[in-house]
Amino acid sequence: MKNRWLNFNTAAEQQAPELLPAEDIKRRIQDRLVDYLTAMFPNGKRRGNKYVMGNVKGDKGKSLEVSLDGSEPGLWHDFENGEGGDIVSLTAAVQGLDAQRDFPELVRFMADWLGMPVVSPPAVTSYQDDYEDLGPHTGKWDYHDPEGNLIACVYRYDTPDGKEFRPWDVKARKTKAPNPRPLYNQPGIKNSTDVWLVEGEKAAQALIDNGYCATTAMNGAKAPVEKTDWSPLKDKRVMIWPDHDEAGLAYAHSAARAIDDIGAMSVVILKPPAAKPEKWDAADALEEGFSIDEWKITTDRKTIKSAGLCLKDWSALRYQGKAPEQHFLVEGSFPMGVVSILAAMGDTGKGMLTLKLALEVACGEGFLAEVLGGRIQQHGTVVVFTAEDDQAEVHRRLEKLDPGNHRLDRPDKLLIVPLPNAGGPFPMVKDTPDGPATTREFTQIVRQLQQIEDLKLVVFDPLSSFVHADVNADPAVGSYLTGLLANLASETGAAVMVVHHMRKPPSMRPIDSAEQARDAIRGSSALVDGVRMAYALWPAEDTHVQQVCTTLNLIPETRSFYQGAVVKSNGPADRTLRTYKRNSVGLLEDLTRRLKGGTPSNYDMLVQLSEALRTAAERGHPMTHTGVNGVFKQRHRLPDIFHPMPRHRLENLVQELLNEKPPRIVKGTLKDSKELKWLDSPWGDFANGKRVIAPGADLQ
């Protein structure tokens, strides 16, 4: 709706015994506007279609302009202080009167200037009639201060174009929202500890009518957070119930931060049931007989600030129905929503391994990639904090792991923070005279992580850089740290991984079992006991390396062969003792299937082949199905399992990949070419004809 300047129709109801015909007086003033302005502002000047002066006092200058033409002559604006209005409000400013309260006196003043007599009053309209084109209001909600004094009203209008809301500032007697904007139901908030924050007065009032303390910001999800006075929620336990849509969720997070900042006791965002329709809210819930008390206890939530343990929140209602399924980041290991340790000895390649995992989770959706012996099962945003590698080293590693730059297709999904370039490592926990305590720096990081809706993985590498306390010797520190990280994992639903070091066994003999590997993880027993899962990597002993090389016809290179396994798990896990070999880019490749028997399943071979073809294309050295650049002639660039494979078998596997619906591998073209023959993933640059063969490729 167009902006409306204050005019005669906005005047509040008056009780004066006599009034003049206001509209007629205003029209006559507009007809003689230059004379009227000259009489009030003798220092003013006419410039074209404007009358200008310094201010409402009539000083010389150009800051205040009055329009002399247009649809409503007399509209004015003071560019210095931002004030403005119509000819009535300008007259009020000159006379030191209030345009609303002193309306009759202003009318008489202008009538006297015109020499008009007093006549019987017409019907004087009220505030709501300023919006008569919207029709009668269909709802009205009053805003009171904590003591019950009326400070604002909000009117709702149902128009052919949808619902419209109009605020009324009672103190200023103007059609605007007060500054700052008040919260709804402040008397109720004052007398309650637990408060629901919902969107809109209708939803808030529905809860209030059913015995709950509820409030809303003026204008719901469209309310400017920074212009709202959230202070009544200080020291309150606030539960935010967003409408079931993206706008509601975004507003919930913005409001939660503001409520946390003013000192609320706790702030929690509750997730509306997934099956409910879009825009479903508290009013809809009550209308359909929804069990709010049960939902409040059992629904998923995001805790922005915790008030500590509340026993009544943990009744048996939390455990009714079918138990939730345990989801994994990697098939058989690294559960979602919990803390896990990836432990390894120095120079194992754990940095490359975690970057590979991060890349696949953030950017590899649609691929059946394997890392640490299992297929990636979750895709979304990843945040990696690396305290030892700087930006240049991270960049070099990413270039090796992702030569096709797929990370740039979804840059916001992969957040890697090289702390040497970002102010150095921040402590999560520090030692104090009263024991271990959470740091302000970590609290700020947690707040940012909580805002990421599809967060799937958070990595801290290495753990020792983030703890300013003796995590290796003090069990209290280990317990406190793992509890702190468990809370982060639970609230975000992400897999939280801490990368940690291992020590050599006391006997100095090589590790040859998962049990020995668990005992070699540095730190007190409280550290390993406090996580849900621990995965360890350690150098393979010489006899095992010889067996592997003999079986698979490999060369026993120094510091190239490792073993790994889940060494601790509080739930189901794949505890296979695996063997890895470091490849040419420093990444550990799993040899376990080949060692177990021979030929892996057809499914496993298709997974490995599609991954190898995708990687080759990313590096700018794609293969073809057949011919001199075909998979058989180029099999030396494939994993070892394909090296002894007959031509027809290898080419048939490629054909299976091409025949899949949807396919994992397709035939693409070089840039500016029409010949479909280069094998690539459906999302790759060759598949889309955007790339040429990279220099150094031994292709023809």
Side-chain angles (χ1 to χ4, degrees), residues 364-652:
E365 189 168 3
F367 304 112
L368 296 175
E370 290 193 5
V371 182
L372 289 168
R375 287 187 291 274
I376 302 297
Q377 296 192 320
Q378 304 288 331
H379 294 92
T381 300
V382 178
V383 181
V384 178
F385 298 99
T386 173
E388 295 181 343
D389 298 323
D390 63 12
Q391 181 176 348
E393 179 60 22
V394 171
H395 198 160
R396 286 189 288 269
R397 292 183 175 187
L398 288 173
E399 190 173 52
K400 292 178 181 179
L401 294 170
D402 180 32
N405 289 322
H406 286 286
R407 61 191 181 277
L408 303 182
D409 295 336
R410 300 177 179 180
D412 294 337
K413 298 296 183 183
L414 183 62
L415 308 176
I416 303 175
V417 186
L419 292 170
N421 302 97
F426 56 85
M428 302 179 195
V429 175
K430 63 181 179 180
D431 235 339
T432 72
D434 298 322
T438 310
T439 65
R440 179 178 57 83
E441 295 93 333
F442 184 60
T443 299
Q444 292 175 340
I445 292 295
V446 168
R447 287 185 182 180
Q448 294 181 63
L449 293 171
Q450 289 172 331
Q451 309 310 313
I452 302 175
E453 282 305 307
D454 66 339
L455 186 65
K456 298 300 181 184
L457 173 63
V458 183
V459 178
F460 298 97
D461 180 15
L463 177 62
S464 58
S465 296
F466 298 90
V467 183
H468 288 190
D470 194 350
V471 71
N472 292 322
D474 189 347
V477 175
S479 296
Y480 186 91
L481 174 65
T482 54
L484 188 66
L485 292 174
N487 187 59
L488 170 63
S490 176
E491 290 180 356
T492 61
V496 174
M497 177 190 294
V498 291
V499 180
H500 199 38
H501 295 294
M502 296 172 66
R503 58 179 176 267
K504 291 184 178 180
S507 64
M508 300 303 292
R509 296 184 59 185
I511 296 172
D512 61 8
S513 69
E515 291 74 20
Q516 289 182 6
R518 171 174 172 153
D519 293 339
I521 297 176
R522 286 184 179 176
S524 67
S525 59
L527 183 62
V528 177
D529 291 343
V531 300
R532 287 286 301 275
M533 196 214 78
Y535 196 101
L537 293 163
W538 62 93
E541 59 176 339
D542 291 343
T543 55
H544 183 68
V545 173
Q546 291 295 334
Q547 291 174 354
V548 170
C549 291
T550 300
T551 303
L552 301 180
N553 193 27
L554 300 175
I555 298 173
E557 303 170 58
T558 304
R559 294 195 301 274
S560 292
F561 293 88
Y562 298 86
Q563 289 189 284
V566 173
V567 298
K568 181 263 171 88
S569 177
N570 288 6
D574 180 356
R575 293 179 178 267
T576 302
L577 182 60
R578 298 185 177 277
T579 299
Y580 298 94
K581 180 182 182 298
R582 196 198 307 263
N583 67 13
S584 59
V585 299
L587 187 65
L588 298 181
E589 292 184 348
D590 191 355
L591 305 179
T592 309
R593 288 195 185 95
R594 295 172 58 191
L595 289 169
K596 278 189 174 179
T599 307
S601 68
N602 192 70
Y603 175 85
D604 291 331
M605 286 191 291
L606 290 174
V607 170
Q608 291 190 55
L609 182 56
S610 63
E611 175 71 9
L613 293 173
R614 174 168 75 100
T615 300
E618 284 180 349
R619 293 174 179 168
H621 305 168
M623 303 181 201
T624 59
H625 190 178
T626 59
V628 68
N629 298 317
V631 289
F632 183 73
K633 290 287 187 180
Q634 299 288 328
R635 64 189 182 280
H636 59 281
R637 296 167 50 212
L638 297 173
D640 294 343
I641 188 176
F642 299 106
H643 292 183
M645 189 172 288
R647 178 196 293 266
H648 73 278
R649 173 67 173 135
L650 186 52
E651 292 178 351
N652 284 344

Side-chain angles (χ1 to χ4, degrees), residues 206-221:
L207 285 171
I208 294 168
D209 293 342
N210 281 271
Y212 300 93
C213 178
T215 187
T216 186
M218 189 176 285
N219 212 25

Side-chain angles (χ1 to χ4, degrees), residues 310-333:
C310 181
L311 294 179
K312 68 179 183 180
D313 289 341
W314 297 95
S315 74
L317 287 174
R318 287 266 186 165
Y319 311 104
Q320 64 179 324
K322 183 176 175 58
E325 180 184 354
Q326 175 67 71
H327 296 286
F328 291 87
L329 184 75
V330 177
E331 185 180 25
S333 62

Side-chain angles (χ1 to χ4, degrees), residues 29 32-44 51 53 55-59 64 66 74 76 86-96 106 109-110 113:
I29 288 287
R32 300 178 57 189
L33 190 55
V34 174
D35 293 337
Y36 185 70
L37 292 173
T38 302
M40 286 201 298
F41 305 105
N43 291 324
Y51 193 92
M53 77 251 353
N55 49 43
V56 294
K57 296 179 181 179
D59 295 335
L64 191 151
V66 184
W76 64 280
D86 73 345
I87 190 60
V88 182
S89 66
L90 182 59
T91 303
V94 172
Q95 298 297 317
L106 288 169
F109 175 87
M110 290 186 286
W113 187 86

Side-chain angles (χ1 to χ4, degrees), residues 6 182 254 529 635 688:
L6 178 65
S254 298
D529 291 343
R635 64 189 182 280
N688 293 285

